[in-house]
Amino acid sequence: METNKLRNILREIIIEILELEAEELKDDLDFFDVYNADSVSFLELITAIEKRLKFHYVPHQVSSISCVDELVEVTKEYVEFD
């Protein structure tokens, strides 16, 4: 999977879980401060990503994620690229 395809998949999931419009979501803005995510919605987001892409994050990596860009970088470690 290429990075842009991964980013688009992650953005789709984020938009759905955080109930955002596509144009609202900026890749470098904080999920918690800007988009009012809480621990429950963030866990739901992580679970949805794991289910869709069929892998499991290492918990300590997830705790450092706060925006789309960081999520893409961490997730790249788990998915195969063409």
Side-chain angles (χ1 to χ4, degrees), residues 25-36:
L25 183 60
K26 305 297 182 211
D27 292 348
D28 60 342
L29 296 181
D30 191 279
F31 295 134
F32 304 97
D33 293 338
V34 177
Y35 301 114
N36 299 315

Side-chain angles (χ1 to χ4, degrees), residues 1-78:
M1 174 180 314
E2 63 183 50
T3 301
N4 285 337
K5 182 176 179 182
L6 175 61
R7 182 178 302 275
N8 289 338
I9 290 169
L10 296 177
R11 287 178 57 85
E12 286 175 19
I13 297 169
I14 295 163
I15 288 165
E16 179 183 336
I17 300 295
L18 298 183
E19 299 178 353
L20 302 171
E21 297 296 325
E23 56 276 357
E24 288 180 278
L25 183 60
K26 305 297 182 211
D27 292 348
D28 60 342
L29 296 181
D30 191 279
F31 295 134
F32 304 97
D33 293 338
V34 177
Y35 301 114
N36 299 315
D38 58 18
S39 58
V40 174
S41 60
F42 188 70
L43 180 58
E44 186 179 353
L45 171 64
I46 294 301
T47 302
I49 294 167
E50 290 175 333
K51 185 176 180 180
R52 172 102 179 253
L53 298 177
K54 297 177 177 42
F55 73 92
H56 292 285
Y57 289 104
V58 175
H60 76 273
Q61 286 184 305
V62 173
S63 64
S64 67
I65 297 170
S66 65
C67 67
V68 176
D69 288 336
E70 292 172 359
L71 186 59
V72 170
E73 288 305 308
V74 170
T75 306
K76 282 170 37 176
E77 298 177 28
Y78 295 93

